[in-house]
């Protein structure tokens, strides 16, 4: 019997003792009644309760596939829902309908949130991007009858904030974004304020303690960083409630499976979301079945809480609350070749209920991407997990409680399977067969890697090896199984990182997160404050380097000074992501090579200091360790890696810095007379930018004499400039940047601008036969040199002018007077004599310098366009024209990451990509050219008009002047990236070659194939990063500048260098075999000397060696580079570089 009641606002003709609240909403009450009628009074339902009404109340359907009209009705009639929430609810219901997803809730589990005395924090499992959508829809549905389950505010990963539209929508729905990193969540003031607002509004907080979506549905270790932040900033007691989401299938199953199989992780993007929505509208999405929610009991978090114990309790419940359906039983049955009913029965006997699947009955076997997540989800449940091998049980559930609660004794994999008495023990025995087989394969692979020189085998490296071996042998090893086996085997064989040149750990205790503080050295704010001091064991200036650290909880790189304005000030998240993605290796920002003190150097030979002091004025000789190390090493990978890992090669006994030609001659004379004719050897050194080990001292077994480095930077003056004749005399030790600045004061320029111009010298350019970025306008070094002065032990060499270096102050541009001295000196690499000065061509400063860039659909189209530019007359070509391949372009874009807000960045990037796609260009496969125009205004205008026609013909898109200027300027900063990679044991180097147009298309593919083959043979982790750019154009061909990088993590430093040298040698051999030259502008040095005989006749080699004897009979200039490298030097390099392609590195 119902008692009548009334409302104070609507008086009826009768009265009652029952009164409703004054804020009673009549329309809301009507909507609840109508919704109840829709839910229970269905067409065709007989009077009275339906047969399964009790089940309907135990497992309430929040969402199930229905018509759009019904979805709209249920969304817009939701009580206490704003219009915006109703719109989102409608869209969510439509999306769930596309996926044929049914969402149910275990109503009995809601009891834990019925009566709450503290703010609610929901702690769900994290399996899918659907998690927060499902939880939000569920809370919205229950809100009218269960006020504690209001729409929660989600602590979402900051990755979502950069997504246009989706990021905004999440923020409007109440999400706030948290960056996790390094085991901690940074307690910013903004985060503190946001959490305070959530609790003040009375809305629940939703926190995914696993931190990331579990690949394969294992239970990941719960993180405590955000809970610590909540505890510290909430200043109140908080109720944590576990929430287990159990799925049948996930939309990410296929992507996760690919990721577990070694493919790169797919980044979130709005474009992918839109593509997915279009598939949904077309009805192309596969059905997902059921997602079931079950809540656990309350766990109290306050200032006295033991977080480890608290998290253990939460995780235990998350595992226990997992639900299974018949599709899970089917997956296990297919894997183990058992009847699905037997598997389901085994679970039910152990107390695990099996619900009926909402998926249609499949007509064929499950795909591997669907099967393995279902298997692993079932295996996490205690009845099955407790009977698996202990190490596998701990892998399935990574929780802290496993360390205290050991699994039951695992059943033997040899147990006979009795199908008539099948139970969970028999199920575990059958599954163990697969697990142990995978583990045995992983053990063999690990042993093979160690035999190949790996000191430490990481999980990622072992996964890569397992999957690669399986593919080569025609076998199929599922990615999740390979990853589990690799994790188990790698954890058994971990070694101290001290043997790898890394930081050693003296304690087995887990490392606590570092306190939030300064992330990296502050960038200099003014160029006037920049230091000119050069680094010793890195490229460039001491105050400038790339470093990595967690910025706002997310790993990023940053450069430490404002020397290069386009790079300074902002964290480069994309740069860090590019390294990890392209190399396919995990990187930890804190796992870097340590900065170690230099070892003690041997003392100079007795008497050497006295001889040098007597030969030169006071202060010209140095014997300290740093000076000797600088002079005895260049900037090639081998030199810098040895310095970084303290594998010191032989270094000079002394360094002298003469300041005149006479002082140079005095040093060479002293070298001949030293130690009663025994003598000492001299190696000229310029800016220390050589990459061929040209300034390295030969081993003592080859040359036992003392070595003295001749630092030529003391001769760095502009002797004279004749602007009328367009010539200038310049001392050889001047650096490129100083030369450019000094000549500009006379209104002229030499135009020589190599990538290394900040440090390289005129003498070094001559000695290596160098080239510059603006060769198209100014020529190579051989086109600029008119005269040269060379000091040898036999005396000074000059040609065309008198012995006086200042006589005439002009030069003859060309004379037919026999062989040319510059022709002999160019490329001599310090072995024929010491270049002290040169007369060079100079030209008036350009009236106009303009930059531009062009984007092409791919490398092939860009290369065809470059070929057309090369066909133009020289006067119509730009001063610089460089084509970057897609990876080089991605690197340039990562270096130019903007510091604006993430949403605006994302929107701008989306619009740029959309424009390029409209023009037929995908940024992922695009190539780009950077252009520099120099000259008079008419010259530049004519060049630009000419190129515009070629750009239109090639289908290119103009990229703008700012991109062109930035691309040109970035050249100076890219060199720092090699040493940044070296911090993380990533070794990289560049190869340059000139190839004829008829064969140039074959060179880069050949190099890629050679590097990949050597990388596989050496079994190095990850994959090689390779990129290419075309930097210069000739009538006959083009110049390719090729980069490759490999990760050597796990190898001892000396083995790492050996492995890299093998790859580098294979790449150079591939260049020459496909028609390229040995070097276009870096020279030969010692590194490439073993390949030089392939490029010239033995008679020429012998003639050049005998020529040196005339100039230097005692071999005072003993650097032994190029043709003057002795057989012992070549043998040394060949021993490293020409090993057979076996698996081990010897």
């Amino acid at each position: 019997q119902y008692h009548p009641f009334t409302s104070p606002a609507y008086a009826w003709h009768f009265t009652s003792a029952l009164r409703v609240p004054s804020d009673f909403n009549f329309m809301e009450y009507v909507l609840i009644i109508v919704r109840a009628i829709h839910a229970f009074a269905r067409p065709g339902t007989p009077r009275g309760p339906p047969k399964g009404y009790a089940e309907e109340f135990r497992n309430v359907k929040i969402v199930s596939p229905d018509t759009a009209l019904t979805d709209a009705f249920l969304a817009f009639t939701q009580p206490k829902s704003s219009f915006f929430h109703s719109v989102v609810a409608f869209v969510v219901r439509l999306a769930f309908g596309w996926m044929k997803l049914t969402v149910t809730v275990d109503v009995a589990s809601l009891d834990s949130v019925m009566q709450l005395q503290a703010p609610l924090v929901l702690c769900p499992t994290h399996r899918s991007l659907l998690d927060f959508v499902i939880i939000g829809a569920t809370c919205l549905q229950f809100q009218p009858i269960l006020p504690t389950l209001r729409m929660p505010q989600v602590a979402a990963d900051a990755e979502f904030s950069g997504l246009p539209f989706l990021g905004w929508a999440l923020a409007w729905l109440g999400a706030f974004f948290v960056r996790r990193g390094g085991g901690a969540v940074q307690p910013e003031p903004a985060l503190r304020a946001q959490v305070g607002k959530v609790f003040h509004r009375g809305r629940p907080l939703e926190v995914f303690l696993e931190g990331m979506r579990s690949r394969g549905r294992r239970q990941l270790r719960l993180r405590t960083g955000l809970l610590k932040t909540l505890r510290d900033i909430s200043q109140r007691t908080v109720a944590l409630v576990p929430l287990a989401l159990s799925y049948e299938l996930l939309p990410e199953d296929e992507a996760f499976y690919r990721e577990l199989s070694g493919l790169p992780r797919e980044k979130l993007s709005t474009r992918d979301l839109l593509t997915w929505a279009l598939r949904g509208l077309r009805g192309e999405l596969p059905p997902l079945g059921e997602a079931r929610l079950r809540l656990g009991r309350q766990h109290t978090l306050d200032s006295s809480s033991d977080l480890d114990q608290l998290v253990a309790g939460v995780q235990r419940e998350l595992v226990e609350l997992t639900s299974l359906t018949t599709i899970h039983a089917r997956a296990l049955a297919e894997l183990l070749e058992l009847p699905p009913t037997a598997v389901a029965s085994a679970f039910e006997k152990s107390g695990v209920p099996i619900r009926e699947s909402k998926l249609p009955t499949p007509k064929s076997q499950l795909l591997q991407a669907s099967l393995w997540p279902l298997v692993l989800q079932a295996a996490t449940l205690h009845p099955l997990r407790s009977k698996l091998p202990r190490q596998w049980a701990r892998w399935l559930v990574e929780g802290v409680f496993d360390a205290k609660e050991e699994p039951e004794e695992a059943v033997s994999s040899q147990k006979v399977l009795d199908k008539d008495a099948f139970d969970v023990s028999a199920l575990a025995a059958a599954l163990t067969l697969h697990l142990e087989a995978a583990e045995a394969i992983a053990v063999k692979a690990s042993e093979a890697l160690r035999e190949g020189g790996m000191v430490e085998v990481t999980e990622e490296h072992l996964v890569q090896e397992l999957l690669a071996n399986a593919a080569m042998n025609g076998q199929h090893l599922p990615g999740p199984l390979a990853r589990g086996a690799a994790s188990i085997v790698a954890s058994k064989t971990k070694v101290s990182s001290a043997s790898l040149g890394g930081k050693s750990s003296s304690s087995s205790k887990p490392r606590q997160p570092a306190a939030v503080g300064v992330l990296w050295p502050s960038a200099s704010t003014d160029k006037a404050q920049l230091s000119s001091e050069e680094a010793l064991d890195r490229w460039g200036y001491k105050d400038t380097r790339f470093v990595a650290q967690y910025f706002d909880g997310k790993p990023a790189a940053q450069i430490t000074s404002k020397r290069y304005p386009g790079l300074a000030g902002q964290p480069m998240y994309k740069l860090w992501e590019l390294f990890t993605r392209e190399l396919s290796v995990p990187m930890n920002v804190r796992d870097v090579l340590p900065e170690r003190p230099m070892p003690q150097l041997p003392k100079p030979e007795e008497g050497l200091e006295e001889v040098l002091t007597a030969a030169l004025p006071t202060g010209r000789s140095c014997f300290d360790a740093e000076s000797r190390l600088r002079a005895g090493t260049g900037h090639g990978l081998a030199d810098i890696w040895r310095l970084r890992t303290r594998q010191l090669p032989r270094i000079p006994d002394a360094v002298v810095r003469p300041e005149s030609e006479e002082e140079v001659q005095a040093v060479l004379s002293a070298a001949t007379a030293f130690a009663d004719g025994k003598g000492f050897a001299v190696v000229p050194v310029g800016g220390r930018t050589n990459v061929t080990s040209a300034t390295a001292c030969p081993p003592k077994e080859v040359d036992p004499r003392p070595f003295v480095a001749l630092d030529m930077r003391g001769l760095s003056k502009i002797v004279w400039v004749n602007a009328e004749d367009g010539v200038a005399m310049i001392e050889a030790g001047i650096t490129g940047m100083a030369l450019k600045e000094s000549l500009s004061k006379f209104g002229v320029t030499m135009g020589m601008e190599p990538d290394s111009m900040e440090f390289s010298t005129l003498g070094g350019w001559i000695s290596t036969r160098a080239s510059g970025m603006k060769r198209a306008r100014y020529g190579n070094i051989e086109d600029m040199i008119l005269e040269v002065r060379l000091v040898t032990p036999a005396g000074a060499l000059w040609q065309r002018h008198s012995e006086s270096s200042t006589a005439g102050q002009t030069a003859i541009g060309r004379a037919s007077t026999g062989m040319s001295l510059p022709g002999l000196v160019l490329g001599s690499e310090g072995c024929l004599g010491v270049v002290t000065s040169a007369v060079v061509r100079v030209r008036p400063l350009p009236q106009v310098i303009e930059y531009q860039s062009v984007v092409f659909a791919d490398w092939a189209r860009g290369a065809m366009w470059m070929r057309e530019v090369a066909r133009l007359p020289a006067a119509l070509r730009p001063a610089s024209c460089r084509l970057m391949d897609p990876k080089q372009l991605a690197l340039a874009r990562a270096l130019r990451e903007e510091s604006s807000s993430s949403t605006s960045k994302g929107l701008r990037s989306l619009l740029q990509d959309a424009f390029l796609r409209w023009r037929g260009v995908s940024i992922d496969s695009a190539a780009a050219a950077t252009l520099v125009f120099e000259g008079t205004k008419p010259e530049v205008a004519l060049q630009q008009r000419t190129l515009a026609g070629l750009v239109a013909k090639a289908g290119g898109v103009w990229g703008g002047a700012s991109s062109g200027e930035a691309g040109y300027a970035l050249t100076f900063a890219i060199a720092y990236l090699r040493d940044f990679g070296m911090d993380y044991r990533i070794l990289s180097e560049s190869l340059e070659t000139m190839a004829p147009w008829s064969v140039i298309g074959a060179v880069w593919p050949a190099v890629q194939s050679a590097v990949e083959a050597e990388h596989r043979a050496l079994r190095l982790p990850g994959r090689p990063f390779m990129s290419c750019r075309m930097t210069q154009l000739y009538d006959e061909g083009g110049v390719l500048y090729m980069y490759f990088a490999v990760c050597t993590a796990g190898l001892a430093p000396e083995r790492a260098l050996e492995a890299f040298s093998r790859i580098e040698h294979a790449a150079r051999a591939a260049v020459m075999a496909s028609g390229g030259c040995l070097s276009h502008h870096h020279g030969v040095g010692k590194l490439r000397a073993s390949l030089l005989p392939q490029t010239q006749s033995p008679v020429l080699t012998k003639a050049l060696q005998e020529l040196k004897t005339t100039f230097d009979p005692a071999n005072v200039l003993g650097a032994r580079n190029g043709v003057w490298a002795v057989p012992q030097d070549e043998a040394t390099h060949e021993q490293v570089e020409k090993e057979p392609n076996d698996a081990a590195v010897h």
Side-chain angles (χ1 to χ4, degrees):
Q1 180 178 351
Y2 293 94
H3 297 279
F5 63 90
T6 185
S7 165
Y10 297 92
W12 291 346
H13 69 279
F14 58 84
T15 60
S16 170
L18 181 62
R19 292 289 186 270
V20 297
S22 59
D23 61 348
F24 178 75
N25 189 320
F26 177 74
M27 288 305 299
E28 183 177 296
Y29 179 70
V30 171
L31 289 177
I32 292 174
I33 298 300
V34 172
R35 288 170 62 88
I37 292 171
H38 176 270
F40 295 102
R42 297 169 187 154
T45 301
R47 293 188 177 183
K51 186 175 181 181
Y53 77 97
E55 176 62 23
E56 291 200 36
F57 277 100
R58 280 197 300 269
N59 296 283
V60 173
K61 288 183 181 178
I62 302 300
V63 180
S64 60
D66 217 322
T67 65
L69 183 61
T70 299
D71 288 335
F73 169 75
L74 293 174
F76 287 98
T77 59
Q78 179 68 33
K80 296 184 179 180
S81 176
S82 69
F83 177 76
F84 177 71
H85 283 168
S86 296
V87 170
V88 173
F90 175 58
V91 173
V92 167
R93 284 181 170 276
L94 285 179
F96 285 174
W98 298 338
M99 297 180 287
K100 300 177 180 61
L101 177 65
T102 299
V103 178
T104 61
V105 175
D106 182 348
V107 176
S109 70
L110 295 174
D111 184 63
S112 61
V113 294
M114 292 291 186
Q115 299 293 331
L116 287 175
Q117 304 301 321
L120 172 62
V121 176
L122 294 173
C123 302
T125 51
H126 201 9
R127 302 292 177 263
S128 169
L129 293 177
L130 294 178
D131 293 345
F132 65 87
V133 181
I134 290 174
I135 294 170
T138 301
C139 291
L140 187 67
Q141 187 89 342
F142 276 108
Q143 180 177 320
I145 59 175
L146 197 57
T148 53
L149 278 185
R150 296 174 61 190
M151 174 75 75
Q153 290 198 247
V154 184
D157 190 276
E159 184 177 9
F160 289 96
S161 65
L163 298 179
F165 309 121
L166 182 59
W168 301 336
L170 288 174
W172 286 336
L173 288 170
F176 60 95
F177 303 103
V178 177
R179 293 195 190 279
R180 292 180 170 92
V185 177
Q186 298 194 24
E188 300 177 341
L191 178 59
R192 181 188 301 272
Q194 187 65 53
V195 172
K197 288 180 182 178
V198 172
F199 290 152
H200 179 71
R201 292 169 185 162
R203 292 176 61 176
L205 183 62
E206 183 180 330
V207 178
F208 294 97
L209 296 180
E210 288 176 285
M212 62 181 292
R213 291 170 289 163
S214 170
R215 275 65 175 158
R217 304 195 208 175
R218 298 186 299 124
Q219 178 63 50
L220 303 183
R221 180 181 298 274
L222 302 189
R223 303 184 184 186
T224 59
L226 188 54
L227 290 184
K228 288 179 181 177
T229 304
L230 288 176
R231 181 185 63 184
D232 296 340
I233 70 179
S234 64
Q235 303 297 317
R236 67 183 78 188
T237 300
V238 176
L240 305 182
V241 176
L243 198 168
L245 285 92
S246 302
Y247 292 92
E248 293 194 299
L249 298 180
L250 290 177
E252 300 101 324
D253 275 341
E254 187 175 348
F256 285 167
Y257 189 81
R258 289 197 301 268
E259 189 177 332
L260 291 173
S261 299
L263 296 177
R265 178 192 173 194
E266 297 177 358
K267 287 193 64 178
L268 300 175
S269 71
T270 302
R271 184 192 310 157
D272 291 339
L273 177 64
L274 295 176
T275 302
W276 176 85
L278 289 174
R279 289 184 61 204
L281 288 170
R282 292 195 295 261
E284 298 174 355
L285 296 177
L288 299 184
E290 182 186 48
R292 189 164 187 250
L293 289 78
R294 297 179 70 188
L295 283 76
R297 64 181 182 84
Q298 293 182 34
H299 299 259
T300 301
L301 171 66
D302 56 28
S303 59
S304 62
S305 297
D306 182 333
L307 282 184
D308 287 340
Q309 185 176 353
L310 184 67
V311 164
V314 171
Q315 188 180 50
R316 186 180 299 109
E317 285 200 73
L318 289 175
V319 175
E320 293 172 353
L321 294 169
T322 300
S323 301
L324 300 184
T325 71
T326 51
I327 192 67
H328 295 86
R330 177 189 174 121
L332 268 169
E334 287 186 7
L335 174 67
L336 305 178
E337 298 180 350
L338 296 168
T341 53
V343 175
S345 174
F347 273 113
E348 288 174 342
K349 289 177 184 176
S350 66
V352 178
I354 301 294
R355 295 164 48 78
E356 195 65 33
S357 172
K358 295 294 190 298
L359 290 165
T361 303
K363 297 179 181 179
S364 59
Q365 288 194 330
L366 294 167
L367 298 175
Q368 290 289 303
S370 301
L371 181 143
W372 277 99
L374 294 168
V375 169
L376 295 182
Q377 182 176 343
T380 60
L381 292 179
H382 183 266
L384 179 55
R385 189 184 81 252
S386 63
K387 300 183 183 304
L388 294 175
R390 180 174 301 172
Q391 63 273 20
W392 282 96
R394 290 179 173 176
W395 178 75
L396 288 165
V397 178
E398 291 182 347
V400 292
F401 72 87
D402 269 334
K404 301 175 183 178
E405 297 182 10
E406 299 291 350
E408 298 173 12
E409 185 176 352
V411 298
S412 171
S413 59
Q414 304 300 321
K415 178 177 178 178
V416 179
L417 301 182
D418 183 357
K419 295 184 181 179
D420 295 330
F422 195 78
D423 58 10
V424 75
S425 295
L427 192 62
L431 183 57
T432 298
L433 290 173
H434 291 266
L435 304 182
E436 290 181 341
E439 188 176 345
I441 296 173
V443 168
K444 290 183 179 179
S446 176
E447 291 172 351
L449 288 172
R450 289 181 175 281
E451 290 171 2
M454 286 290 164
V455 178
E456 180 181 31
V457 179
T458 65
E459 177 183 337
E460 289 294 332
H461 191 182
L462 192 51
V463 168
Q464 167 197 321
E465 192 69 13
L466 288 172
L467 296 175
N469 289 344
M472 285 190 296
N473 297 329
Q475 302 171 343
H476 174 70
L477 184 63
L481 198 57
R483 193 158 293 272
S487 175
I488 290 167
V489 173
S491 65
K492 293 178 180 178
T493 56
K494 280 188 177 180
V495 299
S496 168
S497 60
S499 59
L500 306 175
K503 297 179 181 179
S504 60
S505 174
S506 59
S507 172
S508 60
K509 295 181 180 179
R511 183 175 59 188
Q512 296 298 318
V516 178
V518 178
L519 299 179
W520 36 59
S522 299
S524 301
T525 57
D526 191 337
K527 278 204 170 187
Q529 300 176 1
L530 295 174
S531 169
S532 60
E533 185 178 359
E534 295 178 28
L536 172 61
D537 54 2
R538 293 176 176 273
W539 170 266
Y541 296 101
K542 200 167 187 178
D543 64 357
T544 305
R545 59 189 285 192
F546 282 96
V547 294
Q549 185 52 278
Y550 288 100
F551 183 85
D552 195 18
K554 187 176 180 181
Q558 191 183 44
I559 199 163
T560 57
S561 80
K562 290 192 175 181
R563 189 180 301 275
Y564 307 100
L567 302 178
Q570 71 278 2
M572 303 173 197
Y573 301 108
K574 291 181 180 177
L575 181 60
W576 182 263
E577 292 169 359
L578 185 142
F579 267 77
T580 56
R581 181 180 68 251
E582 293 296 338
L583 289 162
S584 194
V585 292
M587 293 172 60
N588 183 339
V589 295
R590 296 185 178 122
D591 185 17
V592 296
L593 286 175
E595 299 288 346
R596 294 178 175 176
M598 285 292 176
Q600 193 75 21
L601 301 183
K603 293 181 179 181
E605 187 155 333
E606 187 177 352
L608 182 62
E609 185 172 349
E610 291 77 8
V611 169
L612 294 176
T613 302
L616 295 172
T618 304
R620 300 277 206 275
S621 304
C622 298
F623 302 90
D624 62 282
E626 184 166 337
S627 297
R628 294 165 63 190
L629 287 167
R630 286 183 186 279
T633 54
H635 274 288
L637 183 280
D639 289 0
I640 297 299
W641 178 250
R642 288 189 179 109
L643 281 176
R644 293 291 305 278
T645 57
R646 306 311 187 235
Q647 305 173 66
L648 295 187
R650 185 184 182 189
I651 62 169
D653 296 77
V655 181
V656 296
R657 179 179 279 200
E659 294 186 1
S660 68
E661 187 174 287
E662 291 73 21
E663 290 180 7
V664 173
Q665 189 72 67
V667 172
L668 298 186
S669 300
T672 306
F674 176 71
D676 299 325
K678 173 186 175 184
F680 61 79
V682 175
V683 178
V685 178
R688 196 182 166 230
T689 61
N690 78 86
V691 293
T692 60
S693 298
T695 57
C697 300
K700 278 201 171 185
E701 298 77 27
V702 173
D703 193 336
R705 296 176 297 172
F707 268 74
V708 174
L710 198 65
D711 184 352
M712 294 301 297
R713 289 177 297 176
L715 284 83
S716 57
K717 297 188 292 292
I718 304 289
V719 181
W720 49 258
V721 175
N722 186 333
E724 175 68 22
D725 294 344
V727 293
M729 187 171 192
I730 305 166
E731 290 185 336
I734 192 169
T735 64
M737 196 65 77
L739 174 59
K740 180 179 179 181
E741 293 172 355
S742 298
L743 288 179
S744 68
K745 297 175 183 177
F746 296 92
V748 296
T749 181
M750 186 176 168
M752 182 68 175
E753 295 188 9
D755 295 358
S756 61
M757 66 179 293
E758 294 171 293
F759 310 103
S760 58
T761 62
L762 173 61
W765 300 343
I766 295 170
S767 296
T768 57
R769 201 178 183 90
S771 182
M773 293 184 280
K774 297 179 179 178
R775 187 213 67 84
R777 180 169 178 81
Y778 301 101
N780 293 315
I781 190 66
E782 63 267 24
D783 304 309
M784 303 175 184
I785 300 297
L786 296 175
E787 298 182 13
V788 65
R789 293 187 65 83
L790 188 75
V791 174
T792 73
L797 304 183
W798 54 270
Q799 190 177 37
R800 296 183 189 159
H801 272 80
S802 67
E803 192 169 343
S804 173
S805 62
T806 59
Q809 294 196 2
T810 188
I812 304 298
R814 184 183 186 276
S816 180
T817 54
M819 296 181 64
S820 168
L821 178 59
L824 291 176
V825 177
L826 284 161
S828 59
E829 299 187 311
C831 293
L832 287 181
V834 181
V835 178
T836 57
S837 63
V839 178
V840 302
R841 288 189 172 97
V842 294
R843 301 176 67 171
L845 289 171
Q847 294 178 357
V848 177
I849 301 177
E850 292 190 7
Y851 299 89
Q852 190 52 266
S853 59
V854 188
V855 183
F856 300 96
D858 51 39
W859 169 264
R861 295 189 196 185
M864 290 174 61
W865 179 81
M866 294 283 282
R867 178 68 184 99
E868 293 303 314
V869 174
R871 287 193 170 102
L872 295 173
L876 296 180
R877 301 176 194 170
S880 176
C881 184
R882 294 183 158 202
L883 178 70
M884 298 182 288
D885 75 352
K887 290 186 179 180
Q888 191 99 165
L889 179 57
L891 179 62
R893 284 165 60 90
L895 286 170
R896 292 188 64 206
E897 186 168 356
E898 300 175 22
S899 57
S900 54
S901 68
S902 44
T903 50
S904 62
K905 278 193 303 182
L907 180 59
R908 182 161 51 251
S909 176
L910 188 67
L911 293 175
Q912 289 173 349
D913 290 356
F915 171 74
L916 288 174
R917 284 183 179 275
W918 176 66
R919 295 294 303 271
V921 176
S922 169
I923 197 64
D924 294 332
S925 59
T930 57
L931 311 173
V932 183
F933 300 94
E934 281 193 15
T936 64
K937 290 182 179 179
E939 279 182 310
V940 169
L942 180 58
Q943 291 171 357
Q944 291 175 335
R945 286 197 303 271
T946 304
L947 259 64
L950 297 181
V951 169
K953 184 178 178 181
V957 180
W958 290 105
S962 62
S963 295
E965 185 174 7
Y968 187 82
L970 286 176
T971 299
F972 301 114
I974 286 177
Y976 291 91
L977 282 177
R978 184 201 62 180
D979 298 319
F980 174 60
M982 205 179 293
D983 289 341
Y984 298 96
R985 302 170 186 83
I986 297 165
L987 306 190
S988 58
E989 195 55 280
S990 60
L991 310 173
E992 28 70 59
T993 188
M994 191 267 189
W997 290 117
S998 58
V999 302
I1000 195 169
V1003 174
W1004 178 228
V1007 170
Q1008 290 176 294
S1009 297
V1011 170
E1012 289 171 350
E1014 280 298 320
H1015 189 273
R1016 284 194 300 271
L1018 291 165
R1019 293 179 170 176
L1020 296 178
R1023 60 186 179 188
F1025 169 78
M1026 293 180 281
S1027 70
C1028 179
R1029 60 181 176 181
M1030 191 181 297
T1031 60
Q1032 294 178 12
L1033 303 175
Y1034 292 85
D1035 294 340
E1036 308 82 12
V1039 175
L1040 296 179
Y1041 215 108
M1042 298 162 283
Y1043 299 83
F1044 68 96
V1046 296
C1047 178
T1048 61
L1051 286 173
E1054 61 277 7
R1055 288 293 184 94
L1057 184 57
E1058 290 174 10
F1060 184 84
S1061 297
R1062 271 185 54 173
I1063 295 175
E1064 186 176 12
H1065 181 85
R1068 294 192 193 282
V1071 167
M1072 298 178 67
S1074 54
C1077 68
L1078 179 58
S1079 175
H1080 173 259
H1081 58 266
H1082 281 168
V1084 178
K1086 300 174 183 64
L1087 185 66
R1088 307 178 186 182
S1090 63
L1091 294 171
L1092 191 60
Q1094 301 177 35
T1095 69
Q1096 61 189 34
S1097 72
V1099 175
L1100 176 58
T1101 298
K1102 185 177 180 180
L1104 292 173
Q1105 290 171 344
E1106 291 179 353
L1107 176 66
K1108 174 178 168 60
T1109 304
T1110 303
F1111 297 159
D1112 184 14
N1115 193 28
V1116 171
L1117 296 161
R1120 300 179 186 269
N1121 293 320
V1123 296
W1124 299 286
V1126 296
Q1128 291 95 323
D1129 293 339
E1130 296 179 19
T1132 300
H1133 285 280
E1134 288 177 352
Q1135 184 177 0
V1136 173
E1137 298 175 344
K1138 292 189 174 181
E1139 291 290 343
N1141 290 338
D1142 55 10
V1145 182
H1146 299 290

